[in-house]
Amino acid sequence: MSEDIYIRLLGAVHAERGSQPLDLGPARQRATLAILVCAASRPVPMGRLVHGVWGDEPPRNAEQSVYTYVAGLRRAFEPDRGRRAPSRLLSGTGAGYVFNVRPGQVDSVRFAERLDEAGRRRRDGDDRRAVQLLDEALAMWRGTALSGLTGPFAERERSRLELLRLTALEQRHESLLRLGRHHEITDELRDLTARNPVRERTRELLMLALYRSGRQAEALEVYEEGRVLLLEELGLTPGEGLRRCHQQVLRGEPSPWRGDGVPHQLPRHLAGFVGRSRELAELETRLAPDGGHPPTPLVIVSGPPGVGKSALAAQVAHLVQERFPDGQLFVNCRGATPELPALTGLDVLGRFLRGLGVAADAVPADLDEAAATWRSLLHGRRVLVLLDDAADLAQIRPLLSTPFGTALLVTSRESMTWGEDSYQLELGRMSPAESAAMLAGLAGEERVRAGAGDTAELVRLCDGLPLALRIAGARLASRPDWSVATMAGRLGDERRRLHELVAGDLAVRSSLAAGFAALERSPRPLDRLAARTLSLLGLLHVPEITAEAAAALLGADPADADLALERLTDAHLLDRPRPGHYQLHDLVRLFAGELRPPDPKKPVLRALAYYAASTRLACSLADPHRVQRGRAPEAAAHPVASQEEATAWLQEEEGVLEAAARQALAAEDDDIAAMGVALTLALEWPCQRSFRTREMLELSAAALTVCERLGDLEGMMHTRGLLANTLRMGGRREEAVGHLRAELALARRLGDAFSEQRALGNLANTYFNDGRYEQAIVLAEQQLAIADLIGARVGARYAMLVIGEAHQACGRSEEAHEILARALAEAEEVGDRTHQAQLRAVLGRVHLGRGEPEHALPHYLIALELIERAGYRVGRLRDLVGLSRTYRAMGKLDLALAHVTEAVAGADGLAEWETEAREEQAAVHEARARLR
């Protein structure tokens, strides 16, 4: 960065190093420099440079020309740079070109900084210092800004800078009037008014200067001259500010200062507005930026129905209205007003033109002509335009090309995308603290504080939606005998919640219905598909949805389902918490559940079949040697290509799959309930890996009840086995034995040899866990015989595992080692990593029992690595405790402590394993204490 460079834009584009002027080349090269400098050391993409210099129809060689201009600028600013040396001043990046200068090295930036500082001084009452700063700022001007340059950027930036210059002149004269120096500025104001004859603020200042100088008649002549000009050139009458100043002069009122400007159409802001401090600050920065910069031309606040877009927009509009002295306009575009058509672009323009003083019969009937009149009226003015509840971008498009200085503040349920001159704020739900504060303001702080827990529940039930909170607060305010708990209790019933959230003409249901109706009645096919999708989403009670699951509901292609979900997201009826996953907020979910599409059974069955098929496929890749119960439904499944991908999908979708199974099992329809059983059986191995016994106990018990209701013997066999394993994992071994014996009986009745040997093996394992080792061996040997007979090698390995564990527990280490080593060799041969990990862990115990920790160590280390890859939580705890015991036996107490500490941390919620880990941790501490 060269500190001695100074660039001037307030006149002809000029640059100098020290006092030496630089040759900046032809006009378009200077235009390129102006674009880069005004970007304030931010990258400027090639496309923006091309458009800024040539506009919408650049020549074919435009990009090559830009390269030439950049090279020319580098030569001008860095003449001593070597041909291959990188430029420090004008660097190229992946995002575009960057001109590295400090703000103080550009005259337009210094001008804006002084203007901003002068504004602060004026607000503090220091008009004398403000005048000094404004004089310094205005002295930087050497003629028309960017003189001699053409192109879209130069024209736009020139208009911005010239408007700032006019603002600076007006502020200077305003401050001089306050200082009583009206005599010395009269001629300056006459000249300024002559150059800006339809600028009402300048004319108003001239009238005041003349009037204070005792020249009342001349002041009245200035008004009359302006009135005639406005009528003849624009077809307008003077605005309210100028008219009020005229009346004050006419009546001879003492020291008239200024009018209030016109118009003032903003809706009343809420006196009890709370929260949204971050959003208010962001919007205020966009609409009233520091440094004298113009506001962002288009600021959009979008969000779901009832989220408080209108209230927020009104609040920020009142906060920044002083930055728009030429007026504030407002219109309700009726984009989602039930039973009323949305305003057209011509309707909106007509209202605004009349608000700006155009007679009703003079408003153009042609849309383009009305838009042109709108732009003419706003030229040189600073007006804030609040467009509430816009239907979409098309509705407000005729208003978008407003001159710099005017800002459009738009609220809409739709997400909108416009060019770089726009900013969109996606407004979300209120935080719990903001929600509680809003309730306190409506229902009374003491009342809300007294029931803090009930308030938190009421906030949750209102889903952080300001409309719902406002209704709940209003109902509490009108019923002093109700407590917060009463209101929370009434909303607690999901079937009644939307009925309760009504107060007068406020209703959450009608607000949501308006958005849905707009999609359902739209002429666009995608909108109607989105409406149908929302009605189907209400059928499925899951926390998130993907395009594949939505496609199953719709019976459509996932690509079409994805478009529909994205359309609902744009309409703020869905949220996208993470890529590819969509979410209905509670109140929208309840509304969607009321829509009830025709024939709801088929889409639900398709979605459940998708979930069950996807789970089985993922399980088969995550651990291909584990045998799944039941039959796979015929349905398209989520594609997974590797063990890692399958495991990640199962972990990611775990909550969704369990919720879908829970819903299906509770269904009265037999087919839906049966699909719930299929999904529950598919979840057996994922739940075992994560040790989600509470969830699986609930699902397997419900699945057994469904199978008994349906008289499904095969289903009863599988669900009893699943329930038994879950009970065993939870330490309820006696109950597990009962279900396993019932499973065994059903397997023999059905002639299912594989299920018979599996039931024998699980029964043997349960006996082993209960300390009945000899009985466990007998049952495991029965399993081994059947497994050998039918060629079920996975069953045979499991039987050998249980037999080896039981021998080791009985002190028969040789027998244990022999059968475990044989099973391990087979597991390694077929690549069954889960069995390898389990067998090595038991072999580690065998070697520890023999006093051979050095032989136990490699078994435990490999077992831990394998079981972590497989994702079994309990197996990992077992191996960490085993490694601690091994290192303790080897005298490596620091390593022992590290492993057992990790085990204790991971055993939270698993009482049996937590006890075992803490006992080992105590033993390690005791061993360390003996060494001190």
Side-chain angles (χ1 to χ4, degrees), residues 764-846:
N765 191 24
T766 305
Y767 279 161
F768 170 80
N769 289 328
D770 206 33
R772 294 185 268 182
Y773 304 129
E774 298 299 346
Q775 289 173 274
I777 291 173
V778 171
L779 289 167
E781 286 176 341
Q782 292 178 27
Q783 178 192 19
L784 181 59
I786 297 174
D788 283 340
L789 183 64
I790 64 174
R793 299 314 306 161
V794 66
R797 291 194 298 277
Y798 187 79
M800 288 189 280
L801 169 66
V802 176
I803 293 168
E805 279 192 294
H807 280 313
Q808 186 272 332
C810 292
R812 298 189 287 268
S813 64
E814 289 301 326
E815 291 91 330
H817 191 279
E818 186 276 328
I819 196 166
L820 290 169
R822 181 154 52 94
L824 177 60
E826 184 178 316
E828 289 176 332
E829 182 182 349
V830 299
D832 187 343
R833 291 187 292 196
T834 300
H835 274 175
Q836 289 177 55
Q838 293 171 332
L839 289 160
R840 282 189 179 276
V842 182
L843 282 167
R845 289 207 298 275
V846 170

Side-chain angles (χ1 to χ4, degrees), residues 33-48:
L33 172 65
I35 297 171
L36 293 167
V37 167
C38 290
S41 297
R42 293 189 301 271
V44 181
M46 174 63 78
R48 192 184 304 173

Side-chain angles (χ1 to χ4, degrees), residues 718-926:
H718 290 311
T719 53
R720 281 193 180 277
L722 178 57
L723 180 56
N725 283 340
T726 308
L727 289 166
R728 175 182 55 78
M729 290 165 64
R732 296 161 62 177
R733 288 185 280 272
E734 281 303 315
E735 293 176 72
V737 166
H739 287 290
L740 286 167
R741 290 196 178 282
E743 178 193 17
L744 182 59
L746 284 167
R748 287 168 174 167
R749 178 179 172 184
L750 293 169
D752 186 341
F754 185 90
S755 294
E756 180 184 0
Q757 63 85 33
R758 176 165 53 191
L760 285 166
N762 287 330
L763 192 56
N765 191 24
T766 305
Y767 279 161
F768 170 80
N769 289 328
D770 206 33
R772 294 185 268 182
Y773 304 129
E774 298 299 346
Q775 289 173 274
I777 291 173
V778 171
L779 289 167
E781 286 176 341
Q782 292 178 27
Q783 178 192 19
L784 181 59
I786 297 174
D788 283 340
L789 183 64
I790 64 174
R793 299 314 306 161
V794 66
R797 291 194 298 277
Y798 187 79
M800 288 189 280
L801 169 66
V802 176
I803 293 168
E805 279 192 294
H807 280 313
Q808 186 272 332
C810 292
R812 298 189 287 268
S813 64
E814 289 301 326
E815 291 91 330
H817 191 279
E818 186 276 328
I819 196 166
L820 290 169
R822 181 154 52 94
L824 177 60
E826 184 178 316
E828 289 176 332
E829 182 182 349
V830 299
D832 187 343
R833 291 187 292 196
T834 300
H835 274 175
Q836 289 177 55
Q838 293 171 332
L839 289 160
R840 282 189 179 276
V842 182
L843 282 167
R845 289 207 298 275
V846 170
H847 285 295
L848 272 181
R850 290 176 173 179
E852 302 168 348
E854 67 281 1
H855 295 303
L857 183 60
H859 282 299
Y860 275 124
L861 288 172
I862 296 172
L864 180 61
E865 179 187 353
L866 290 171
I867 211 67
E868 284 183 334
R869 289 173 64 186
Y872 284 89
R873 183 184 176 193
V874 168
R876 180 175 179 274
L877 296 177
R878 173 200 64 204
D879 295 339
L880 286 169
V881 171
L883 277 167
S884 176
R885 289 171 177 154
T886 303
Y887 283 125
R888 179 161 56 86
M890 297 171 71
K892 298 180 179 181
L893 299 181
D894 288 343
L895 285 171
L897 183 60
H899 283 81
V900 76
T901 300
E902 192 174 350
V904 169
D908 184 43
L910 304 178
E912 187 175 334
W913 280 99
E914 186 172 7
T915 299
E916 187 168 342
R918 290 196 180 279
E919 288 176 353
E920 170 59 19
Q921 189 179 48
V924 174
H925 283 303
E926 185 179 339

Side-chain angles (χ1 to χ4, degrees), residues 628-652:
Q628 300 179 61
R629 298 178 186 269
R631 298 182 177 86
E634 294 183 5
H638 174 76
V640 285
S642 66
Q643 179 194 17
E644 292 75 16
E645 197 176 316
T647 302
W649 185 87
L650 288 168
Q651 291 174 347
E652 192 173 69

